[in-house]
Amino acid sequence: MRAISPIPVSVLTGFLGSGKTTLLNRLLKDSALRDTAVIINEFGDVGIDHLLVEQSSDGVIELSDGCLCCTVRGELVDTLADLVDRLQTGRIKSLARVVIETTGLADPAPVLHAVMAHPVLMQNYRLDGVITAVDAVNGESTLDHHEEAVKQVAVADRIVLTKTDLIDPASKEFALFTARLMRLNPGAPQISSHDEDEIVAKLFDCGLYDPATKTADVALWLRDEAYHSHHHHAHDVNRHDARIRAFTLMHEKPIDPEALEMFIDLLRSSQGERLLRMKGIVALADDPDRPVVIHGVQSIFHPPARLQGWPDDDRRTRLVLITRDLDESYVSKLFDAFAGRPQIDTPDRQALQDSPLSIPGYKP
């Protein structure tokens, strides 16, 4: 058997009617995706979506027994493991990436968990990113009425605006809609599906490492300046958006590794369902010249990875988070306590070790 480099996995999601299949059809015609395996999920006993995918080949695998977020998760793991086995044994000559298309009602988080938490898959795959298709015509109403659509936008690394040819891009309504998407997920670039300029390059390779240079591109991966600039906007309490918060935490000095571990463990154990995404680069006191990268989806965190050095002159610890029903002040106070800068009348690290839920604002 031959060793393989971790294969990037992209998750293509979007609510019902958002244009995922049309987008996938277009992407598969691009020569840049010629060595891509596509896993397509269709809810129900009889697959339909796969009939609409023009490029039907051995690289297209359909899971038709249920939704990826629930009943076929084990089958997804088996499929990904089988792809690795085929590659290692030479039955597949080349596999550059995997694209998983979910159903319109799917929660992307369990799909991400399947890649991030499985001990074998972690060695052979790496999460490249979540691509969320959003209907530019009906997206406003969809976000108003369906929490699944809001979560799909919130966890995205790239947002693709579909059907933009049917609206006036200069209209006030469209500007308000794109601003709403920005509030939900400041770190995800918004890209028109009708953009003819290198759309594959804009949607893929959005993970930590630049595939061309094999080095970390933290600025592109975190986009923490976007979170810092937009997380203070007011929310309309009549919308599902009011439950979503996007913000960034920063710290100037290296952090005790044990303190970071306790912070993450407490946050994910007590608030895992509310923690939609968390990315970060952290300076640790045991080796501040080699930062650690962390990435979590709800309660599942990928094993921390050490970089060989800082990719730029910014050596601050930066954590970007998207949460649901979780107050920013709670996370901030918790982080400050473990980072050694507790505020007045709030517990410090020792107090938290004695009583982990003593931060004001905790909601069981």
Side-chain angles (χ1 to χ4, degrees):
M1 292 188 180
R2 56 195 174 100
I4 62 173
S5 299
I7 302 164
V9 177
S10 298
V11 178
L12 175 60
T13 189
F15 202 71
L16 296 170
S18 62
K20 294 190 304 300
T21 300
T22 300
L23 175 63
L24 183 59
N25 277 326
R26 179 184 170 192
L27 293 175
L28 291 178
K29 293 176 181 177
D30 195 301
S31 60
L33 297 184
R34 61 181 175 271
D35 293 324
T36 296
V38 182
I39 300 175
I40 302 173
N41 181 228
E42 168 60 23
F43 187 78
D45 293 332
V46 180
I48 296 176
D49 282 358
H50 72 291
L51 299 176
L52 305 179
V53 177
E54 296 174 7
Q55 180 174 320
S56 180
S57 67
D58 291 339
V60 178
I61 303 163
E62 181 201 5
L63 305 179
S64 60
D65 294 331
C67 176
L68 276 179
C69 64
C70 43
T71 59
V72 302
R73 185 173 170 189
E75 187 179 349
L76 173 64
V77 170
D78 292 342
T79 299
L80 291 171
D82 181 61
L83 283 172
V84 171
D85 182 67
R86 290 194 224 174
L87 187 61
Q88 290 178 331
T89 56
R91 286 178 289 162
I92 296 178
K93 292 184 179 180
S94 178
L95 181 59
R97 71 176 65 249
V98 175
V99 176
I100 303 172
E101 182 194 8
T102 74
T103 67
L105 295 175
D107 178 353
V111 181
L112 305 181
H113 289 177
V115 179
M116 297 173 66
H118 194 281
V120 175
L121 296 185
M122 278 194 306
Q123 298 176 27
N124 295 288
Y125 294 99
R126 62 176 175 83
L127 179 64
D128 183 48
V130 178
I131 303 167
T132 299
V134 179
D135 183 344
V137 177
N138 303 303
E140 188 83 20
S141 175
T142 300
L143 292 176
D144 284 341
H145 294 96
H146 300 283
E147 289 190 64
E148 300 93 338
V150 173
K151 188 172 182 181
Q152 289 168 353
V153 170
V155 302
D157 294 285
R158 300 288 184 268
I159 296 172
V160 182
L161 294 166
T162 64
K163 307 178 187 178
T164 52
D165 56 326
L166 302 178
I167 52 97
D168 177 7
S171 67
K172 179 181 178 181
E173 291 76 14
F174 184 64
L176 290 173
F177 177 56
T178 54
R180 182 179 182 180
L181 296 176
M182 176 68 77
R183 288 194 298 272
L184 275 170
N185 192 337
Q190 298 176 29
I191 302 160
S192 171
S193 64
H194 294 276
D195 187 348
E196 299 294 337
D197 184 22
E198 299 180 343
I199 189 169
V200 169
K202 293 178 180 179
L203 296 185
F204 295 96
D205 298 326
C206 53
L208 174 63
Y209 291 97
D210 183 332
T213 64
K214 306 298 183 182
T215 58
D217 190 342
V218 174
L220 179 65
W221 184 63
L222 284 184
R223 290 178 58 87
D224 56 289
E225 75 288 344
Y227 289 81
H228 186 69
S229 301
H230 291 89
H231 78 284
H232 293 296
H233 288 276
H235 293 258
D236 183 346
V237 295
N238 296 314
R239 291 175 167 175
H240 298 302
D241 307 28
R243 306 178 63 191
I244 306 294
R245 294 289 186 273
F247 55 91
T248 183
L249 303 175
M250 295 188 182
H251 191 61
E252 301 287 342
K253 298 180 180 179
I255 299 173
D256 183 334
E258 183 180 340
L260 176 69
E261 183 178 356
M262 287 189 292
F263 164 70
I264 293 176
D265 283 347
L266 179 55
L267 186 62
R268 68 180 180 180
S269 62
S270 66
Q271 307 290 344
E273 291 301 312
R274 299 179 174 98
L275 185 64
L276 301 184
R277 291 288 291 273
M278 178 176 174
K279 298 179 180 180
I281 182 169
V282 184
L284 293 182
D286 63 340
D287 192 352
D289 292 330
R290 298 176 61 233
V292 168
V293 173
I294 59 175
H295 184 198
V297 177
Q298 294 185 330
S299 60
I300 302 296
F301 274 70
H302 195 279
R306 282 270 190 184
L307 300 183
Q308 292 303 310
W310 288 89
D312 52 39
D313 293 331
D314 189 347
R315 295 195 166 205
R316 296 173 298 171
T317 288
R318 287 162 280 164
L319 301 174
V320 297
L321 301 92
I322 297 183
T323 65
R324 180 174 60 181
D325 297 331
L326 180 56
D327 190 351
E328 176 184 349
S329 64
Y330 168 80
V331 181
S332 179
K333 290 176 182 177
L334 185 67
F335 178 70
D336 285 347
F338 281 109
R341 55 180 189 190
Q343 302 175 27
I344 296 176
D345 294 328
T346 61
D348 59 11
R349 173 178 166 182
Q350 184 60 52
L352 281 168
Q353 288 178 251
D354 296 336
S355 178
L357 305 182
S358 59
I359 286 283
Y362 169 72
K363 299 177 182 178

